[in-house]
Short mmCIF file of all heavy atoms in Angstrom, two decimals:
data_model
loop_
_atom_site.label_atom_id
_atom_site.label_comp_id
_atom_site.label_asym_id
_atom_site.label_seq_id
_atom_site.Cartn_x
_atom_site.Cartn_y
_atom_site.Cartn_z
N PRO A 2 -2.27 -1.68 15.66
CA PRO A 2 -3.60 -1.59 14.99
C PRO A 2 -3.59 -1.92 13.54
O PRO A 2 -4.58 -2.57 13.11
CB PRO A 2 -3.95 -0.17 15.25
CG PRO A 2 -3.12 0.26 16.43
CD PRO A 2 -1.85 -0.48 16.34
N LEU A 3 -2.59 -1.59 12.88
CA LEU A 3 -2.56 -1.96 11.41
C LEU A 3 -2.45 -3.40 11.19
O LEU A 3 -3.09 -3.96 10.28
CB LEU A 3 -1.39 -1.20 10.73
CG LEU A 3 -1.10 -1.59 9.31
CD1 LEU A 3 -2.35 -1.12 8.43
CD2 LEU A 3 0.17 -0.94 8.72
N ALA A 4 -1.66 -4.11 12.07
CA ALA A 4 -1.49 -5.55 11.91
C ALA A 4 -2.81 -6.25 12.21
O ALA A 4 -3.16 -7.30 11.60
CB ALA A 4 -0.41 -6.03 12.95
N LEU A 5 -3.54 -5.73 13.17
CA LEU A 5 -4.84 -6.45 13.54
C LEU A 5 -5.96 -6.09 12.59
O LEU A 5 -6.79 -6.90 12.33
CB LEU A 5 -5.24 -5.99 15.08
CG LEU A 5 -4.27 -6.46 16.12
CD1 LEU A 5 -4.83 -6.06 17.46
CD2 LEU A 5 -3.95 -7.92 16.01
N LYS A 6 -5.95 -4.82 12.14
CA LYS A 6 -7.04 -4.46 11.21
C LYS A 6 -6.69 -4.86 9.85
O LYS A 6 -7.66 -5.13 8.97
CB LYS A 6 -7.21 -2.87 11.26
CG LYS A 6 -8.42 -2.44 10.45
CD LYS A 6 -8.53 -0.92 10.58
CE LYS A 6 -9.80 -0.38 9.83
NZ LYS A 6 -9.91 1.06 9.95
N GLY A 7 -5.49 -4.84 9.42
CA GLY A 7 -5.09 -5.24 8.04
C GLY A 7 -5.14 -4.02 7.08
O GLY A 7 -5.87 -3.05 7.26
N THR A 8 -4.36 -4.15 6.07
CA THR A 8 -4.27 -3.17 5.06
C THR A 8 -5.55 -3.26 4.17
O THR A 8 -5.99 -4.26 3.83
CB THR A 8 -3.01 -3.44 4.12
OG1 THR A 8 -1.89 -3.41 4.88
CG2 THR A 8 -2.96 -2.36 3.02
N LYS A 9 -6.10 -2.18 3.88
CA LYS A 9 -7.34 -2.03 3.03
C LYS A 9 -6.98 -2.57 1.64
O LYS A 9 -6.10 -2.10 0.98
CB LYS A 9 -7.89 -0.73 2.97
CG LYS A 9 -9.20 -0.59 2.23
CD LYS A 9 -9.80 0.89 2.24
CE LYS A 9 -11.07 0.95 1.39
NZ LYS A 9 -11.60 2.31 1.35
N PHE A 10 -7.84 -3.52 1.28
CA PHE A 10 -7.65 -4.05 -0.19
C PHE A 10 -8.15 -3.09 -1.23
O PHE A 10 -9.19 -2.49 -1.17
CB PHE A 10 -8.34 -5.37 -0.36
CG PHE A 10 -8.36 -5.87 -1.67
CD1 PHE A 10 -7.16 -6.38 -2.27
CD2 PHE A 10 -9.44 -5.90 -2.51
CE1 PHE A 10 -7.05 -6.81 -3.57
CE2 PHE A 10 -9.45 -6.27 -3.83
CZ PHE A 10 -8.22 -6.79 -4.39
N ARG A 11 -7.26 -2.92 -2.20
CA ARG A 11 -7.61 -1.98 -3.34
C ARG A 11 -7.60 -2.88 -4.61
O ARG A 11 -6.52 -3.40 -4.96
CB ARG A 11 -6.65 -0.86 -3.48
CG ARG A 11 -6.62 0.05 -2.25
CD ARG A 11 -5.43 1.08 -2.35
NE ARG A 11 -5.40 1.89 -1.24
CZ ARG A 11 -6.03 3.02 -0.98
NH1 ARG A 11 -6.83 3.50 -1.98
NH2 ARG A 11 -5.94 3.79 0.12
N PRO A 12 -8.67 -2.98 -5.36
CA PRO A 12 -8.75 -3.82 -6.59
C PRO A 12 -8.00 -3.00 -7.73
O PRO A 12 -8.60 -2.49 -8.67
CB PRO A 12 -10.22 -3.93 -6.86
CG PRO A 12 -10.88 -2.72 -6.26
CD PRO A 12 -9.99 -2.36 -5.09
N LEU A 13 -6.70 -2.99 -7.60
CA LEU A 13 -5.81 -2.33 -8.63
C LEU A 13 -4.95 -3.30 -9.32
O LEU A 13 -4.68 -4.40 -8.82
CB LEU A 13 -4.95 -1.28 -7.95
CG LEU A 13 -5.63 -0.07 -7.17
CD1 LEU A 13 -4.60 0.75 -6.50
CD2 LEU A 13 -6.42 0.75 -8.23
N PRO A 14 -4.53 -2.99 -10.64
CA PRO A 14 -3.55 -3.91 -11.27
C PRO A 14 -2.34 -3.97 -10.40
O PRO A 14 -1.92 -3.12 -9.63
CB PRO A 14 -3.23 -3.08 -12.61
CG PRO A 14 -4.47 -2.25 -12.79
CD PRO A 14 -4.93 -1.87 -11.46
N ALA A 15 -1.59 -5.14 -10.58
CA ALA A 15 -0.45 -5.41 -9.68
C ALA A 15 0.64 -4.38 -9.74
O ALA A 15 1.10 -3.94 -8.70
CB ALA A 15 0.11 -6.75 -10.19
N GLU A 16 0.93 -3.81 -10.96
CA GLU A 16 1.93 -2.88 -11.01
C GLU A 16 1.59 -1.51 -10.27
O GLU A 16 2.37 -0.84 -9.54
CB GLU A 16 2.35 -2.50 -12.43
CG GLU A 16 1.29 -1.92 -13.39
CD GLU A 16 0.37 -2.98 -13.85
OE1 GLU A 16 0.42 -4.18 -13.56
OE2 GLU A 16 -0.49 -2.66 -14.81
N LYS A 17 0.30 -1.16 -10.39
CA LYS A 17 -0.14 0.10 -9.69
C LYS A 17 -0.16 -0.14 -8.13
O LYS A 17 0.11 0.74 -7.41
CB LYS A 17 -1.54 0.50 -10.20
CG LYS A 17 -1.52 1.03 -11.64
CD LYS A 17 -2.95 1.62 -12.00
CE LYS A 17 -2.86 2.17 -13.40
NZ LYS A 17 -4.26 2.69 -13.83
N LEU A 18 -0.63 -1.30 -7.73
CA LEU A 18 -0.60 -1.67 -6.35
C LEU A 18 0.83 -1.66 -5.80
O LEU A 18 1.03 -1.18 -4.67
CB LEU A 18 -1.30 -3.02 -6.16
CG LEU A 18 -1.65 -3.35 -4.77
CD1 LEU A 18 -2.74 -2.38 -4.26
CD2 LEU A 18 -2.26 -4.83 -4.78
N LEU A 19 1.82 -2.12 -6.54
CA LEU A 19 3.20 -2.12 -6.10
C LEU A 19 3.69 -0.75 -5.89
O LEU A 19 4.29 -0.40 -4.89
CB LEU A 19 4.04 -2.93 -7.11
CG LEU A 19 5.53 -2.96 -6.77
CD1 LEU A 19 5.75 -3.67 -5.46
CD2 LEU A 19 6.27 -3.66 -7.93
N ILE A 20 3.37 0.13 -6.83
CA ILE A 20 3.87 1.46 -6.80
C ILE A 20 3.28 2.26 -5.61
O ILE A 20 3.88 2.95 -4.83
CB ILE A 20 3.53 2.25 -8.12
CG1 ILE A 20 4.39 1.63 -9.31
CG2 ILE A 20 3.80 3.76 -8.03
CD1 ILE A 20 4.03 2.16 -10.63
N HIS A 21 1.91 1.96 -5.47
CA HIS A 21 1.22 2.58 -4.32
C HIS A 21 1.80 2.21 -2.97
O HIS A 21 2.01 3.08 -2.12
CB HIS A 21 -0.31 2.20 -4.45
CG HIS A 21 -1.15 2.66 -3.30
ND1 HIS A 21 -1.28 1.98 -2.19
CD2 HIS A 21 -1.85 3.83 -3.05
CE1 HIS A 21 -2.09 2.59 -1.24
NE2 HIS A 21 -2.43 3.72 -1.84
N ASN A 22 2.03 0.96 -2.83
CA ASN A 22 2.62 0.41 -1.50
C ASN A 22 4.06 0.94 -1.31
O ASN A 22 4.41 1.15 -0.16
CB ASN A 22 2.45 -1.06 -1.49
CG ASN A 22 1.08 -1.53 -1.37
OD1 ASN A 22 0.11 -0.79 -0.98
ND2 ASN A 22 0.80 -2.75 -1.78
N LEU A 23 4.81 0.99 -2.38
CA LEU A 23 6.17 1.43 -2.22
C LEU A 23 6.26 2.89 -1.79
O LEU A 23 7.10 3.30 -1.00
CB LEU A 23 6.99 1.20 -3.50
CG LEU A 23 7.39 -0.26 -3.87
CD1 LEU A 23 8.01 -0.30 -5.22
CD2 LEU A 23 8.28 -0.78 -2.70
N LEU A 24 5.34 3.66 -2.35
CA LEU A 24 5.28 5.06 -1.96
C LEU A 24 4.86 5.23 -0.56
O LEU A 24 5.44 6.22 0.16
CB LEU A 24 4.33 5.86 -2.95
CG LEU A 24 4.84 6.03 -4.35
CD1 LEU A 24 3.75 6.68 -5.27
CD2 LEU A 24 6.05 6.84 -4.46
N ILE A 25 3.88 4.51 -0.08
CA ILE A 25 3.37 4.72 1.24
C ILE A 25 4.29 4.02 2.30
O ILE A 25 4.74 4.58 3.24
CB ILE A 25 1.99 4.16 1.46
CG1 ILE A 25 1.01 5.07 0.55
CG2 ILE A 25 1.54 4.15 2.79
CD1 ILE A 25 -0.43 4.63 0.55
N TYR A 26 4.52 2.72 2.11
CA TYR A 26 5.23 1.94 3.09
C TYR A 26 6.71 1.98 2.89
O TYR A 26 7.49 1.65 3.83
CB TYR A 26 4.67 0.54 3.16
CG TYR A 26 3.27 0.51 3.55
CD1 TYR A 26 2.16 0.38 2.65
CD2 TYR A 26 2.91 0.57 4.96
CE1 TYR A 26 0.91 0.42 3.08
CE2 TYR A 26 1.56 0.51 5.41
CZ TYR A 26 0.60 0.46 4.46
OH TYR A 26 -0.73 0.50 4.81
N GLY A 27 7.11 2.17 1.62
CA GLY A 27 8.58 2.18 1.37
C GLY A 27 9.12 3.59 1.69
O GLY A 27 9.94 3.81 2.66
N VAL A 28 8.73 4.62 0.92
CA VAL A 28 9.21 5.96 1.14
C VAL A 28 8.70 6.43 2.54
O VAL A 28 9.51 7.01 3.28
CB VAL A 28 8.68 6.95 0.02
CG1 VAL A 28 9.13 8.33 0.36
CG2 VAL A 28 9.14 6.43 -1.36
N GLY A 29 7.47 6.15 2.87
CA GLY A 29 6.95 6.59 4.20
C GLY A 29 7.72 5.91 5.29
O GLY A 29 8.03 6.59 6.34
N GLY A 30 8.03 4.59 5.11
CA GLY A 30 8.79 3.84 6.15
C GLY A 30 10.24 4.39 6.27
O GLY A 30 10.88 4.16 7.29
N MET A 31 10.67 4.98 5.23
CA MET A 31 12.10 5.54 5.30
C MET A 31 12.07 6.88 5.95
O MET A 31 13.01 7.33 6.62
CB MET A 31 12.77 5.59 3.85
CG MET A 31 14.22 5.98 3.79
SD MET A 31 14.72 6.08 2.08
CE MET A 31 14.47 4.41 1.57
N LEU A 32 11.06 7.79 5.68
CA LEU A 32 11.02 9.11 6.19
C LEU A 32 10.63 9.15 7.60
O LEU A 32 11.19 9.97 8.40
CB LEU A 32 10.14 9.96 5.28
CG LEU A 32 10.59 10.24 3.90
CD1 LEU A 32 9.48 11.01 3.14
CD2 LEU A 32 11.95 10.87 3.77
#
């Protein structure tokens, strides 16, 4: 469902977007 729907775009600066995604998909993907 995520692959078909796509990640919701957030108009954030690149560094904040990177941190946000690492916390969700990085840390979340590890736990």
